[in-house]
């Protein structure tokens, strides 16, 4: 079945450091890919998405490119802030289906 | 718009007790779903609905019931709580077309003793 694999956390960075969180997927067909973020004590909210190969999703300085050849959707940010501390979830949604398949989440901790 | 609301925020149950987690949305979304979040396991789909009167099972449905009598509400019922159901529960909703953002509620933290 469909699955998403994320790097283990926590990822600990200093403010203004470069961030990469790896995400790879296994799916039949042509899924859409998402990054959701969960701030402490809150529900998940959509950070960015890409719906086809080579699409780049971006929001709030975060970017991720849909790479079909490597089945990856890595999340990057050039300069993280303390306010970016959260748990980040990679997810896929396969064609014709509503349900999301989530990775296990990666906690990011950014210190001043 | 209130978005997706969930009640209660916290709940402690004893093994064997039953309860209902409430979920409501005011965005007229056809699709609603329930997930549970456990450490190291991400979010797993329990049940979902594509419209009033229509529900289906997700990945981990055992021990849970749902119904969808209105577009707005999608309650999750625990029939006889077990310690394995200790988790954080999230309700989500979206428009029915794929690739649309799913909107999540703030969650209910449930502990079963």
């Amino acid at each position: 079945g469909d699955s998403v694999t994320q790097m283990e956390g926590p990822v600990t960075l200093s403010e203004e450091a470069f961030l990469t969180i790896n995400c790879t997927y296994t799916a039949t067909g042509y899924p859409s890919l998402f990054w959701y973020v969960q701030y402490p004590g809150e529900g998940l909210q959509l950070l960015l998405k890409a719906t086809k190969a080579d699409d780049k999703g971006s929001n709030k300085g975060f970017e991720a490119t849909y790479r079909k050849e490597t089945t990856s959707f890595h999340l990057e940010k050039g300069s993280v802030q303390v306010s970016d501390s959260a748990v980040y979830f990679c997810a896929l949604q396969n064609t014709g289906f509503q349900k999301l398949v989530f990775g296990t989440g990666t906690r990011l901790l950014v210190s001043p | 718009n209130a978005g997706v609301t969930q009640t209660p925020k916290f709940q402690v149950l004893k093994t064997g007790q039953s309860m209902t987690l409430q979920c409501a949305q005011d965005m007229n979304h056809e699709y609603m779903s329930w997930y549970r979040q456990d450490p190291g396991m991400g979010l797993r789909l329990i049940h979902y609905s594509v419209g009033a009167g229509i529900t289906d099972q997700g990945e981990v449905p055992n021990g849970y019931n749902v119904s969808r009598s209105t577009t707005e509400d999608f309650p999750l019922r625990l029939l006889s709580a077990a310690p394995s159901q200790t988790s954080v529960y999230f309700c989500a909703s979206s428009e029915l077309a794929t690739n649309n953002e799913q909107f999540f509620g703030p969650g209910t933290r449930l502990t079963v003793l």
Side-chain angles (χ1 to χ4, degrees), chain A residues 79-99:
Chain A
S79 175
V80 294
Q81 306 300 312
V82 172
S83 57
D84 294 327
S85 297
V87 181
Y88 292 82
F89 291 92
C90 185
L92 71 81
Q93 183 184 56
N94 219 332
T95 308
F97 295 91
Q98 288 291 132
K99 69 175 186 177

Side-chain angles (χ1 to χ4, degrees), chain A residues 15-103:
Chain A
E15 206 164 25
E16 299 183 2
F18 184 84
L19 168 71
T20 300
I21 299 178
N22 290 339
C23 170
T24 57
Y25 68 90
T26 302
T28 57
Y30 304 93
S32 296
L33 301 174
F34 303 81
W35 278 100
Y36 279 80
V37 59
Q38 183 181 30
Y39 297 103
E42 297 182 11
L44 282 71
Q45 53 187 274
L46 180 66
L47 180 60
L48 53 85
K49 70 178 183 183
T51 59
K52 61 182 188 295
D54 300 324
D55 267 1
K56 177 185 284 188
S58 61
N59 186 25
K60 299 181 182 180
F62 290 89
E63 292 183 340
T65 301
Y66 189 141
R67 303 283 188 202
K68 189 166 176 61
E69 63 275 15
T70 55
T71 61
S72 65
F73 193 55
H74 305 321
L75 183 68
E76 296 182 336
K77 186 175 186 182
S79 175
V80 294
Q81 306 300 312
V82 172
S83 57
D84 294 327
S85 297
V87 181
Y88 292 82
F89 291 92
C90 185
L92 71 81
Q93 183 184 56
N94 219 332
T95 308
F97 295 91
Q98 288 291 132
K99 69 175 186 177
L100 288 167
V101 176
F102 285 92

